[in-house]
Amino acid sequence: MSDQVNQVPVPFPCAGELVSHGECLEVRNPWDGSLAGTTWLADQRQLDRAIEVATREFQATREWPVHRRQSVLRGIAEQIDAQRERLAHLIRAESGKPIQYARAEVERGAATFRAAAEALATFGDQTVVLDAQPAGERRAGLLGRFPVGPVAAITPFNFPLNLVAHKLAPAIAVGAPVVHKPARQTPMTALALASIVRDAGWPGAAYSVLPMSADLGQHLAIDPRMPVLSFTGSPAVGWQLKQAAPRKKVCLELGGNAAVVVHQDADLREAARRCAAGGFAYAGQTCISVQRVLAQTSVYDTFRSLLIDAVSALTCGDPSDPATQVGPMITGAEAQRAEAWIQAALHRGAVAALQGSRHGTLLTPSILEKTTPEMDVECLEVFAPIVTLAPYTDFDAALQRVNGSRFGLQAAVFTQDIGRIMQAWRTLEVGAVIINDASTFRVEAMPYGGVKESGFGREGVRWAMEEMTEPRLLAMRAR
Ligand code: NAP
């Protein structure tokens, strides 16, 4: 599909109306700099209006019965499926994501809305025993979950559809309006999704998508009329917003420097293949990308050459080529930043088992050995096609090295040994331990989120629904 970009800016939905005036926002394709779309930037007045109307609309949406919310969620999923190619090319054009992964993201986006519809079938009321104490005799307890209020949603550039879905689907599921700030680099997919959401029957007043400056995003995040803040993005911004909004229910999905441990009893070829894809797909611009690989000494050399082979076989280049796995980084500045981190590590004694080169926004894969935990490529989030590789002799020490990080999103272990699997599960300070797959494993209905600097709270549809609701007990006395 060619990029026939409509030169007319796409209006944004604000408080039930489409806005097509103000400051124009041009969105550029990270691969070739071509125009990927244009829209408008919202201003303070429009943000205020969106929040005010969302607050009012909440009085209606909180009363929607489950079947009505399910019907909207299923309708959205059907339309995402129906518009699969259009959405995939929009994602590819504005984010530079290789088309095969953009298509996968669209499928996942539809699955997220379906998962929310399904979660509703069992989400909600439970009985509570009250008569375990004499004071509770002849009483019955019922615990329900009720939406807290409208949700302020802020999303990053790297999954312009599915990370929006992970905020919007649970919000619709619990009957909460959303005011959404997409990343300025990738607002076009969110705008396309918004029209699907409207057509599926969710009120326009209950979903505003406002491309806006980061400063205005700060206003959205801290506005007291929006009692829930769901933020996905960088740790620096996320933690600062949480501090600025201490009374809110806040869910933060932030960054990481995911580690993978490859033990001597692993299927080494499979581990190498999965680490290659997990570390370099979409140029490593995923929060759970494989960043630090530890392989046991006895299999290190074999694993090292399998990994180099697997990474060398990856296809780099034009994201519209169906074979491409490693496309551009989001901006030239980001590619230069990553290149500088490689140079700094080499300067301090690291050795490149595979050294990438940069051509504009495209940085080809690098594997670095002899790095230390103090180097940026290990201790910070690289968010780029760079993986470090180190040997270990002792499994305990490998787990401690994984834990020696300020982050804790997901970690992976390749082993056949149930004892080691249980040890890793007990020991690793992360939101999820993945066994015999890369740290990048995620399906929509699993609880997802991190500890330490990687986040606060959980997404994964049902868990996000919990974050957006509060329990309320009904204690009844029979007379
Ligand atoms: P980012 O710079 O933090 O931006 C994320 C969003 O926050 C964007 O919409 C951005 O708006 C907005 N923003 C920036 N400053 C703000 C402020 N002061 N107040 C309110 N909003 C503000 O992150 P990014 O570069 O787009 O995304 C990469 C990061 O996201 C990485 O750290 C990655 O690990 C993380 N991430 C985490 C997950 C997860 O589920 N844990 C998933 C994906 C990505 P502008 O675009 O207008 O600047």
Side-chain angles (χ1 to χ4, degrees), residues 330-406:
I330 189 69
T331 59
E334 273 297 287
Q336 281 171 4
R337 188 264 310 158
E339 193 181 30
W341 285 19
I342 295 171
Q343 290 308 327
L346 295 176
H347 188 69
R348 292 176 63 185
V351 174
L354 194 68
Q355 185 162 1
S357 55
R358 190 176 66 79
H359 317 272
T361 50
L362 180 69
L363 181 64
T364 57
S366 294
I367 302 174
L368 302 180
E369 295 177 287
K370 299 196 189 312
T371 56
T372 61
E374 298 75 39
M375 294 179 183
D376 288 352
V377 289
E378 271 207 35
C379 68
L380 301 181
E381 177 182 35
V382 291
F383 219 60
I386 305 168
V387 163
T388 65
L389 176 63
Y392 70 87
T393 44
D394 178 49
F395 190 68
D396 292 357
L399 298 186
Q400 289 318 316
R401 186 153 176 187
V402 174
N403 281 347
S405 164
R406 63 177 75 177

Side-chain angles (χ1 to χ4, degrees), residues 155-156 158 181 184 218 231-234 253-255 287 381 448:
T155 53
N158 63 339
K181 175 204 173 335
R184 264 172 300 173
Q218 178 95 11
F231 174 87
T232 301
S234 59
E253 298 292 344
L254 309 175
C287 50
E381 177 182 35
Y448 181 80

Side-chain angles (χ1 to χ4, degrees), residues 154-159 163 181-185 212-215 217-218 221 231-235 237-238 240-241 253-256 286-287 381 383 409 442 448 454 459:
I154 301 180
T155 53
F157 75 83
N158 63 339
F159 284 83
L163 290 181
K181 175 204 173 335
R184 264 172 300 173
Q185 280 143 333
M212 64 176 95
S213 67
D215 282 352
Q218 178 95 11
F231 174 87
T232 301
S234 59
V237 175
Q240 180 266 322
L241 291 179
E253 298 292 344
L254 309 175
T286 306
C287 50
E381 177 182 35
F383 219 60
L409 203 45
R442 182 180 185 187
Y448 181 80
S454 289
E459 283 194 342

